[in-house]
Amino acid sequence: MEADAALARVAAEHHGVVSVSQARAVGLSLEQIKVRVRSGLLVPLHRGVYRHAAGTESPGSDLLAAVLACGAGAVASHRSAGRLWGLRAVPRWRPEVTVPGRRRPRVDAIVVHRSDTLDPADVAAAGGIPATSVARTLLDLGSILPAPVLGTTTEDATIRGIVTPPDLV
């Protein structure tokens, strides 16, 4: 079926993860999605988010699934974004996602932050996953990491050239 091939392509481009809206965009109805779930072709991860059976579980797939589960405009943030950007000294943690505006979705096993100020300059993609920019990630990490760890992380990012002093201002 043409829609299944298109769905597999979408999954391959997105760490093996697809959302209901992506499945609908390739031509699948809600009933057809349910059939694929029952057959094992789509494995539920969160409400409206699935891993394609051809995809493999990875930190990237889990994080992208968390972002998709939190809805439009959601981005990986805080420790999750720090790990995506390869920032030194950022500890592993449950998926952390920031959503714009006043909504705060409740999704099991995901730490959801809300922000009234998530400007386009604050958003980028790291490894194909929507995330806060390096500068915004460092700002967010400042609220949760001890100062010496944040200093090491910021110095690392500056030395590697992924953030500049003007970006930090």
Side-chain angles (χ1 to χ4, degrees):
M1 178 180 213
E2 195 172 309
D4 285 321
L7 185 66
R9 283 191 298 276
V10 169
E13 294 168 1
H14 296 96
H15 298 275
V17 176
V18 295
S19 67
V20 166
S21 62
Q22 291 169 322
R24 298 289 310 267
V26 300
L28 294 176
S29 68
L30 291 176
E31 187 54 40
Q32 289 171 318
I33 293 169
K34 290 176 186 175
V35 167
R36 280 146 185 83
V37 169
R38 286 192 298 268
S39 73
L41 183 65
L42 295 176
V43 179
L45 298 175
H46 301 288
R47 183 177 179 174
V49 181
Y50 307 93
R51 178 180 293 98
H52 193 281
T56 58
E57 186 175 353
S58 70
S61 67
D62 292 343
L63 186 53
L64 181 56
V67 169
L68 292 172
C70 289
V75 294
S77 65
H78 295 73
R79 286 165 280 225
S80 293
R83 304 279 304 169
L84 275 174
W85 291 116
L87 299 178
R88 198 168 114 213
V90 175
R92 290 192 185 277
W93 192 251
R94 293 179 292 167
E96 286 183 277
V97 175
T98 293
V99 297
R102 298 195 184 277
R103 65 187 176 81
R104 187 181 292 229
R106 301 217 186 269
V107 185
D108 289 341
I110 299 171
V111 177
V112 179
H113 303 275
R114 186 189 61 76
S115 178
D116 289 331
T117 56
L118 194 58
D119 298 324
D122 294 332
V123 177
I129 299 171
T132 50
S133 66
V134 176
R136 174 62 188 255
T137 298
L138 291 167
L139 177 69
D140 291 341
L141 289 172
S143 69
I144 57 175
L145 293 181
V149 175
L150 181 65
T152 299
T153 302
T154 304
E155 182 179 357
D156 172 57
T158 304
I159 289 169
R160 290 175 38 219
I162 59 174
V163 72
T164 65
D167 293 335
L168 295 173
V169 174

